[in-house]
Amino acid sequence: MQDRLMNGVAQPAFVLMWSSAFIVGIIGVGAAPPMVVLLGRYAVAGPLLVLYGLAVHAVWPRGRQLRHVMVAGLLMQIVQFGAFYTAMGEHVSAAVISLVQGLNPVVIALFSGVLGEHISRRQWLGFGVGGLGVALAVSDQSNFTWLGLLLCVIGLLGLSLGTVYQKKFTPTVDSRAATAVHQLFSAPFAGLLVLLSGNFHISDPGRFAGALTWMVLINSMGAFLLLNAMLRRWDATRVGRLFFATPVTTAVLAWLFIAQPLHPMTIAGLAVGILGMVLASRRTPSGATSEALVPAVGRPELARA
C-alpha cells in the first residue's frame, strides 16, 4: 500500500511542489522587494528546519566541515535564490527561470574537471542544445531584459558551484542538518542585502504572507522531506528524471495561476531545453552527472534514515 502510494502520488506531488516555487516566488516579489522575500523565507524556514533536525536526531557538522557547509549554503541559497528572485522582479517568466535552473547538470558537467570526471561528447551536445532552448524560450518574451537573463545565469552558477563544492568538501554531511544550516546561516546575509538595497516596503502584506507561508511549508520543508523519502526508496537517477518535468509543469502553472502566456517559441524552447537536460544527464562511467539532477542536499549518500 505504501509503495503504491509513493509510486502513484509522491512523484507528481513532488513535481508540483517543486514547480510551485517559481510561481509563489513571482507572487512574492510582486508584493515585496526580492531581498525581503529572501530574508523572510530563511528567517522562518531556518529555525523550523533546525527544530526538525533536532527532532529526528540529525548529525550536525562541526569545525571545518561546518564552514564548508556554510559556504555551500551561501552559494545555493543566497547566490541562487537572490539572483532568481531579482530576475523575477525583472519580469523574467517562471518557465524561463525553471528551464535555466534545470540546466544545473549541464553546468556541473562543465565543472567536472574539479571532480576528476569525464565530459562526454553527448554531454557537450546537451550543453549546446540546452542553451539553444533557453535562447528560444526568451526570444519572444515581451518583458525580456538582458539583466534578467544575466541574473538567471548567476543563479544557475550559484546552484551548480554550490553543488560541486558540497560534493567535493562535504560528501557525507547529513542532508537534514545541511539544509537547516544553509537556510539559517543565509538569513543574516539576506538581511544585509535588504539593508544594502534600502528597499523595505511591502506593498501587499496579505500576498506576501501567503507566498512566504507556501515557500516555507511546501518548498523549503515539504518538497525537501518528500525528496528524501523518495531517495530512500529509489536511486538518484529515477528521482532525477522528475526534474525533467518541472519546466513544463512550471509553464502550465504560470499560465493557469499568474496569467503568464505560453507562446509557441516558449513551448519550443522548453522542449529543446529539456532535450539538452536529458543529453547532458546521461550516465557517465562514474554516474555522477545523472546524480547531479538531484540537489546536493537531497543526495542519497547525504541522507541518513
Side-chain angles (χ1 to χ4, degrees):
M1 178 66 180
Q2 190 176 27
D3 288 339
R4 286 199 299 270
L5 184 64
M6 286 294 293
N7 284 315
V9 177
Q11 296 178 77
F14 175 76
V15 171
L16 287 171
M17 292 166 73
W18 191 271
S19 300
S20 72
F22 302 96
I23 311 304
V24 296
I26 288 176
I27 293 172
V29 300
M35 295 305 103
V36 172
V37 175
L38 197 71
L39 172 60
R41 176 173 179 168
Y42 298 144
V44 178
L48 290 177
L49 286 166
V50 169
L51 291 175
Y52 168 74
L54 293 172
V56 298
H57 306 292
V59 180
W60 298 91
R62 299 177 182 274
R64 180 179 296 180
Q65 191 178 59
L66 176 60
R67 291 192 291 272
H68 284 313
V69 171
M70 290 175 173
V71 171
L74 290 178
L75 288 168
M76 299 174 73
Q77 303 296 331
I78 294 296
V79 177
Q80 179 193 186
F81 287 107
F84 281 152
Y85 284 172
T86 308
M88 292 173 185
E90 290 292 318
H91 307 292
V92 179
S93 72
V96 170
I97 295 175
S98 175
L99 179 58
V100 171
Q101 190 195 60
L103 296 177
N104 177 44
V106 180
V107 179
I108 287 178
L110 297 179
F111 290 114
S112 62
V114 178
L115 302 176
E117 297 160 5
H118 172 69
I119 308 176
S120 69
R121 291 181 179 178
R122 178 174 289 173
Q123 289 169 328
W124 281 115
L125 177 61
F127 173 73
V129 172
L132 176 61
V134 173
L136 288 173
V138 302
S139 63
D140 63 351
Q141 300 291 316
S142 59
N143 292 323
F144 166 77
T145 66
W146 286 107
L147 175 60
L149 183 58
L150 176 61
L151 287 165
C152 287
V153 172
I154 292 172
L156 173 61
L157 288 174
L159 171 61
S160 301
L161 288 172
T163 301
V164 171
Y165 187 95
Q166 183 153 304
K167 183 175 180 182
K168 183 174 179 63
F169 293 105
T170 59
T172 59
V173 171
D174 189 313
S175 64
R176 300 163 298 187
T179 303
V181 171
H182 283 182
Q183 304 214 22
L184 188 66
F185 184 63
S186 294
F189 286 88
L192 178 61
L193 290 175
V194 172
L195 291 175
L196 291 174
S197 71
N199 189 356
F200 319 102
H201 178 64
I202 299 175
S203 60
D204 191 332
R207 287 184 56 179
F208 173 71
L212 189 63
T213 299
W214 187 278
M215 286 178 189
V216 171
L217 297 181
I218 303 300
N219 303 139
S220 292
M221 301 188 71
F224 162 74
L225 295 174
L226 184 55
L227 176 63
N228 277 280
M230 291 189 295
L231 285 167
R232 283 194 292 270
R233 290 167 171 79
W234 307 318
D235 61 55
T237 302
R238 177 176 178 179
V239 176
R241 292 193 189 104
L242 297 176
F243 289 89
F244 294 145
T246 58
V248 173
T249 305
T250 299
V252 173
L253 291 176
W255 174 63
L256 288 173
F257 292 103
I258 55 176
Q260 290 191 343
L262 274 175
H263 299 298
M265 290 300 289
T266 303
I267 296 171
L270 289 169
V272 173
I274 291 169
L275 175 60
M277 291 165 59
V278 173
L279 290 172
S281 62
R282 299 289 292 182
R283 182 176 293 275
T284 62
S286 67
T289 306
S290 53
E291 289 180 3
L293 281 165
V294 182
V297 293
R299 293 294 173 74
E301 71 268 23
L302 305 182
R304 301 180 184 182

